[in-house]
Amino acid sequence: MGAVKTKRMPRAVREQQMLDAAVRTFGRRGYMAASMDEIAELAGVSKPLVYLYLNSKDDLFTACIRREAHALTEAVRSGVRTDQPADRQLWDGLLAFFTHTAENPDGWSVLHLQARIHGEAFAAEVAAMREEIVAFVTQLIVVAAREAHRDPDLPEREVAGLAEALVGAAESLAAWANATPGVTARQAAATLMNFAWAGLGDLMEGRPWAPPAP
Amino acid sequence: MGAVKTKRMPRAVREQQMLDAAVRTFGRRGYMAASMDEIAELAGVSKPLVYLYLNSKDDLFTACIRREAHALTEAVRSGVRTDQPADRQLWDGLLAFFTHTAENPDGWSVLHLQARIHGEAFAAEVAAMREEIVAFVTQLIVVAAREAHRDPDLPEREVAGLAEALVGAAESLAAWANATPGVTARQAAATLMNFAWAGLGDLMEGRPWAPPAP
């Protein structure tokens, strides 16, 4: 390690630079094609230093997933003020989600694509984040239902299903928005809000859509 | 091959038995843990015969993905009658989708989970099926918009976004329904219809949800 010349810099700062370079490289090239040489060069450090700090390509990828998952959940949480009406909370949450995924397309690619297609250990990391977001959305729908009726008769299972549907729709739409030139975060959020709110809203007000007889 | 004793049976029939066994094993154990021994035993054939017919574990997995993807898209297409009103078409399509994924949980696990997490080649197979379903849903929304206005002013991009949202919601909900005891296909379809239809319906009628000023 004696031959490696790097400017003195706190380890935490240098580690973030490595993670920035890694997220960018994994997100754009894919996990398999990304090379540790490229990541080190992009971070402006030697390859041995990357291994010293992050241990292996697998550990580096795991660290990327954790950092990006934390940043995304924080962005959504901090975008929502729980003293607002339910539709405003949903809108703010969606706008925060699509703004974050649009501003961090490489991070979103790591979470939504790369982490899912390269084995069960990485997929489990993303699944943990997803559960947290589903729980957050479930809570939001429960609050909305409580606002609508004092004694909501939406069964717990229906609420859980709605939260799964909403999160799946948002994931799918974010991937599409990032791959489609000219779609803004605000447009993507408005599309999903349009799709979801009137439906959820009607449901909350006790006006479910009625299926035809079997 | 002379030592292998198997009853005389057309190759196509035997191949389907192997694929049945493979889908079940890949779907339940996961791609990595599934063994060719187990698949051969479950299919009631020798392991060399599986290799003779399907070549390799990778090729067998690819054949499973293609068969299950084809079965799912056919189930949805044949569930929808295009002479029906748009909400009925959407309901019939959703019911067909959730019925098929509930009746074929191993096939759905192969498509939605396994094929996505074990490398880019398998993921690309599923992506092709997904594009076909998105195109089908897009067409359905366009027809609904045409019904609502003679000259629909939903921009093409908004329709594409809605189709992505709906497909993402359905995928997410099918995975949840299959993992949650007691949720029927009809309940899952009704949850998504409730979530989606009133929203889509309002949009078609020219009553979009209005975002607050930025």
Side-chain angles (χ1 to χ4, degrees):
Chain A
M1 300 301 304
V4 176
K5 285 206 177 152
T6 46
K7 273 183 244 153
R8 287 205 167 275
M9 196 179 279
R11 173 167 177 152
V13 174
R14 206 176 276 298
E15 217 170 272
Q16 289 307 312
Q17 289 178 338
M18 291 179 194
L19 288 176
D20 288 345
V23 167
R24 183 170 166 147
T25 309
F26 286 132
R28 294 184 183 195
R29 294 224 187 284
Y31 174 71
M32 302 297 261
S35 81
M36 295 296 268
D37 285 302
E38 187 179 359
I39 291 168
E41 196 186 326
L42 193 59
V45 300
S46 70
K47 193 161 73 164
L49 197 67
V50 179
Y51 281 105
L52 181 71
Y53 279 18
L54 277 316
N55 198 41
S56 68
K57 187 176 176 182
D58 268 24
D59 285 357
L60 176 60
F61 190 50
T62 302
C64 288
I65 295 171
R66 289 190 183 156
R67 190 183 79 166
E68 295 306 310
H70 181 74
L72 176 58
T73 49
E74 276 311 296
V76 173
R77 278 184 191 285
S78 68
V80 175
R81 283 161 303 161
T82 51
D83 59 347
Q84 296 291 306
D87 68 331
R88 182 60 195 253
Q89 285 192 46
L90 183 58
W91 168 250
D92 287 340
L94 291 175
L95 194 56
F97 175 81
F98 287 108
T99 301
H100 185 86
T101 53
E103 287 175 353
N104 300 277
D106 299 327
W108 179 244
S109 168
V110 164
L111 292 177
H112 184 64
L113 298 177
Q114 296 304 320
R116 292 185 181 206
I117 64 176
H118 296 293
E120 279 150 26
F122 300 137
E125 291 283 342
V126 174
M129 169 200 74
R130 195 178 192 280
E131 271 175 35
E132 201 183 322
I133 292 189
V134 169
F136 182 70
V137 172
T138 301
Q139 188 52 31
L140 202 157
I141 296 176
V142 168
V143 169
R146 202 174 296 142
E147 268 177 28
H149 324 250
R150 288 209 165 252
D151 180 25
D153 59 358
L154 272 186
E156 199 180 315
R157 182 169 286 171
E158 175 102 26
V159 172
L162 290 168
E164 287 285 343
L166 185 54
V167 169
E171 289 171 332
S172 177
L173 207 51
W176 170 81
N178 279 0
T180 309
V183 176
T184 66
R186 200 176 166 81
Q187 283 164 352
T191 294
L192 187 50
M193 192 69 190
N194 259 318
F195 177 68
W197 183 253
L200 274 177
D202 280 359
L203 204 55
M204 300 301 173
E205 306 279 334
R207 292 193 303 271
W209 178 84
Chain B
M1 301 303 304
V4 176
K5 285 210 174 146
T6 45
K7 274 183 243 152
R8 289 206 165 275
M9 195 179 278
R11 173 168 178 151
V13 174
R14 207 175 276 298
E15 218 171 271
Q16 288 308 311
Q17 289 177 338
M18 292 180 193
L19 289 176
D20 289 343
V23 167
R24 184 171 165 145
T25 309
F26 287 132
R28 296 183 183 194
R29 294 224 187 283
Y31 175 72
M32 303 296 262
S35 82
M36 295 296 268
D37 284 302
E38 187 179 359
I39 291 168
E41 197 186 323
L42 192 61
V45 300
S46 69
K47 193 160 75 164
L49 197 66
V50 179
Y51 280 106
L52 182 70
Y53 279 18
L54 277 318
N55 198 42
S56 68
K57 188 175 175 182
D58 268 23
D59 284 358
L60 177 58
F61 190 51
T62 302
C64 289
I65 296 171
R66 288 189 184 156
R67 192 185 76 166
E68 296 304 311
H70 181 74
L72 176 58
T73 49
E74 275 312 294
V76 173
R77 277 184 192 283
S78 67
V80 174
R81 283 162 303 162
T82 51
D83 59 347
Q84 297 290 307
D87 68 333
R88 183 59 195 254
Q89 286 192 45
L90 183 59
W91 167 251
D92 287 340
L94 291 176
L95 194 57
F97 174 80
F98 286 107
T99 300
H100 186 85
T101 53
E103 287 175 354
N104 300 276
D106 299 327
W108 179 244
S109 168
V110 164
L111 292 177
H112 185 63
L113 298 177
Q114 296 303 320
R116 292 185 180 205
I117 64 176
H118 296 292
E120 278 149 28
F122 299 138
E125 291 283 341
V126 175
M129 170 201 73
R130 194 178 193 280
E131 270 175 35
E132 202 183 322
I133 292 190
V134 168
F136 182 68
V137 172
T138 301
Q139 189 52 31
L140 203 157
I141 296 175
V142 168
V143 169
R146 201 174 297 139
E147 270 177 28
H149 323 250
R150 291 210 164 251
D151 181 25
D153 57 1
L154 272 184
E156 198 178 316
R157 182 169 285 173
E158 174 103 27
V159 172
L162 289 168
E164 287 284 343
L166 185 55
V167 169
E171 289 171 332
S172 176
L173 207 51
W176 170 82
N178 280 1
T180 309
V183 176
T184 67
R186 199 175 166 81
Q187 283 164 354
T191 293
L192 187 50
M193 193 70 191
N194 259 317
F195 177 68
W197 182 253
L200 274 177
D202 280 358
L203 203 55
M204 300 303 172
E205 306 282 334
R207 293 193 303 274
W209 177 86

